[in-house]
Amino acid sequence: GNSVTQMEGPVTLSEEAFLTINCTYTATGYPSLFWYVQYPGEGLQLLLKATKADDKGSNKGFEATYRKETTSFHLEKGSVQVSDSAVYFCALRDKISSGSARQLTFGSGTQLTVLP
Amino acid sequence: DSGVTQTPKHLITATGQRVTLRCSPRSGDLSVYWYQQSLDQGLQFLIQYYNGEERAKGNILERFSAQQFPDLHSELNLSSLELGDSALYFCASSPGDTTTNEKLFFGSGTQLSVL
């Protein structure tokens, strides 16, 4: 079955530090990959996505590249801000079953805290 | 604001009881999804409804059930509650039935505490 593995948190960084949150996946087909972010007290929001190998998703200074050879989709940001403090979820949606409902499979989430 | 409304925000109840969680999707969205977020299990997909019909089922217990009404709002019913059912329950919506790569819009969740 499909699965997503994220680096365990929590991760604590100083403002302007470089961020990497690792994500690897297992899927039987060729999935689309996503990063969702959950700010305190809120629901998840889509941060970025990539739908095929070598695609790079980017948004709000965050980037992630779909690496088929390493089955990875690591999230990076060059300079984090206090406002980036949140829980980050890596997720995949497979493409095997054409025309059928395909669900998001989420990783366990990584708590990021950025200190001023 | 995602446009997805969940009520109540917090629910405290006792073991063995039954509760109903409510979700109103974004205007125009036909699909509603329920997720359970717990510390030990992470974010787990429970069930999806599309335009009133069950579309997909995930790790949903037999004690749990859901439905989507003609006005497209959805309810998740949890019965014979156990301590382990304490979790944050999210509802999400999307315009279609996920055969495309459309994104999901999440509500802010209902925090259920079973004492």
Side-chain angles (χ1 to χ4, degrees):
Chain A
N2 297 333
S3 68
V4 177
T5 303
Q6 286 182 237
M7 66 183 287
E8 290 194 14
V11 174
T12 302
L13 297 173
S14 297
E15 206 164 23
E16 299 184 2
F18 184 85
L19 169 72
T20 298
I21 300 178
N22 289 339
C23 170
T24 57
Y25 66 89
T26 302
T28 50
Y30 300 96
S32 296
L33 302 173
F34 307 81
W35 277 99
Y36 276 80
V37 58
Q38 182 181 22
Y39 296 104
E42 299 182 13
L44 280 71
Q45 305 172 28
L46 179 65
L47 180 59
L48 53 84
K49 70 178 183 182
T51 58
K52 62 182 187 296
D54 299 325
D55 269 2
K56 178 185 283 188
S58 61
N59 186 26
K60 300 181 181 179
F62 291 89
E63 293 183 341
T65 302
Y66 189 141
R67 300 286 188 203
K68 184 181 172 185
E69 62 276 14
T70 54
T71 61
S72 65
F73 193 54
H74 304 322
L75 182 68
E76 296 181 337
K77 187 173 185 181
S79 176
V80 293
Q81 305 300 313
V82 173
S83 57
D84 294 327
S85 297
V87 181
Y88 292 82
F89 291 88
C90 186
L92 71 82
R93 176 184 288 145
D94 69 79
K95 297 178 184 175
I96 290 181
S97 303
S98 173
S100 67
R102 295 164 293 125
Q103 302 310 317
L104 283 172
T105 300
F106 285 91
S108 56
T110 302
Q111 171 75 56
L112 169 66
T113 301
V114 180
L115 302 176
Chain B
D1 183 5
S2 67
V4 178
T5 304
Q6 288 187 248
T7 57
K9 290 193 181 303
H10 303 278
L11 200 48
I12 302 174
T13 188
T15 55
Q17 296 299 305
R18 172 190 169 94
V19 297
T20 297
L21 281 53
R22 183 188 168 99
C23 170
S24 294
R26 288 189 327 151
S27 177
D29 283 359
L30 298 179
S31 272
V32 169
Y33 312 76
W34 287 98
Y35 285 85
Q36 179 193 57
Q37 185 179 29
S38 60
L39 287 175
D40 56 343
Q41 299 272 358
L43 196 60
Q44 299 279 323
F45 167 69
L46 297 178
I47 197 164
Q48 177 204 356
Y49 279 81
Y50 174 71
N51 204 20
E53 295 189 1
E54 184 181 303
R55 189 75 173 94
K57 217 170 205 181
N59 301 321
I60 187 166
L61 300 172
E62 288 191 8
R63 300 184 285 109
F64 296 1
S65 65
Q67 59 185 123
Q68 186 179 28
F69 295 87
D71 67 352
L72 301 177
H73 90 271
S74 178
E75 292 181 354
L76 179 66
N77 300 296
L78 315 176
S79 61
S80 303
L81 285 168
E82 301 175 359
L83 295 177
D85 297 327
S86 296
L88 188 53
Y89 291 84
F90 283 109
C91 169
S93 73
S94 68
D97 64 353
T98 76
T99 54
T100 63
N101 282 316
E102 61 192 15
K103 68 179 183 181
L104 272 59
F105 295 85
F106 282 79
S108 54
T110 293
Q111 179 68 58
L112 174 66
S113 299
V114 182
L115 305 178

